[in-house]
Amino acid sequence: MEDENIIRVISIVDDTVVDGPGFRTAIYCAGCANACPGCHNPSTWDPKAGSDMTVQEVFDHIVSDEFANVTFTGGDPFFRPLGFAKLAEKLKAETDKNIWCYTGYVFEELVKNQDAMKLLRNLDVLVDGPFKQELKDEDLLYRGSSNQRLVDVQKSLEAGRFVEFDYNPFKLQ
Ligand code: SF4
């Protein structure tokens, strides 16, 4: 049974500029069941990699940086979404930080899952879909392969279908 107060963290990277626009605090979690051939980081698949942190500990780390926004990545944050759901809810309630999240699942699958929905409700942008080596494109913004999409999560939930995130390089969203 997943503990909603715990996130299994492999590392927290401060001020990254590759996991979404602007400076971001990236939470790299353990656990991924997607096994994409050519995955850049297979050591993150093991759910026991890294160590447990409480949601409060991860939150305190994030808010210690007043300016950086936030990215959830891994591994796959949706492998065990409840800790991230609680963290995202707290970030949205207590800060104005935006949240990007990477996943190997697609948006249309995630909306059918109750636990996944708890996390989606507080995300701004979802970078979705498995990494596909044959569609790899290094020119893509914040994605590895061309099947992956930048999902505007709130607009997509409202519309009941995928709405692409309208990326504006001049706005740190
Ligand atoms: S979803 Fe990401 S971490 Fe998981 S196997 Fe695919 S590329 Fe690797």
Side-chain angles (χ1 to χ4, degrees), residues 32-70:
C32 182
N34 296 304
C36 308
C39 168
H40 58 293
N41 210 354
S43 63
T44 64
W45 298 359
D46 179 0
K48 295 196 181 83
S51 49
D52 285 344
M53 287 180 76
T54 64
V55 166
Q56 185 67 48
E57 285 170 334
V58 180
F59 177 85
D60 290 344
H61 185 113
I62 290 169
V63 298
S64 69
D65 186 328
E66 196 183 334
F67 300 108
N69 286 303
V70 185

Side-chain angles (χ1 to χ4, degrees), residues 72-99:
F72 300 159
T73 185
D76 195 321
F78 282 91
F79 182 79
R80 282 180 290 216
L82 296 184
F84 279 111
K86 195 162 180 182
L87 176 61
E89 189 179 14
K90 197 167 163 56
L91 284 167
K92 284 296 166 190
E94 298 178 35
T95 78
D96 60 359
K97 295 181 183 298
N98 70 59
I99 309 173

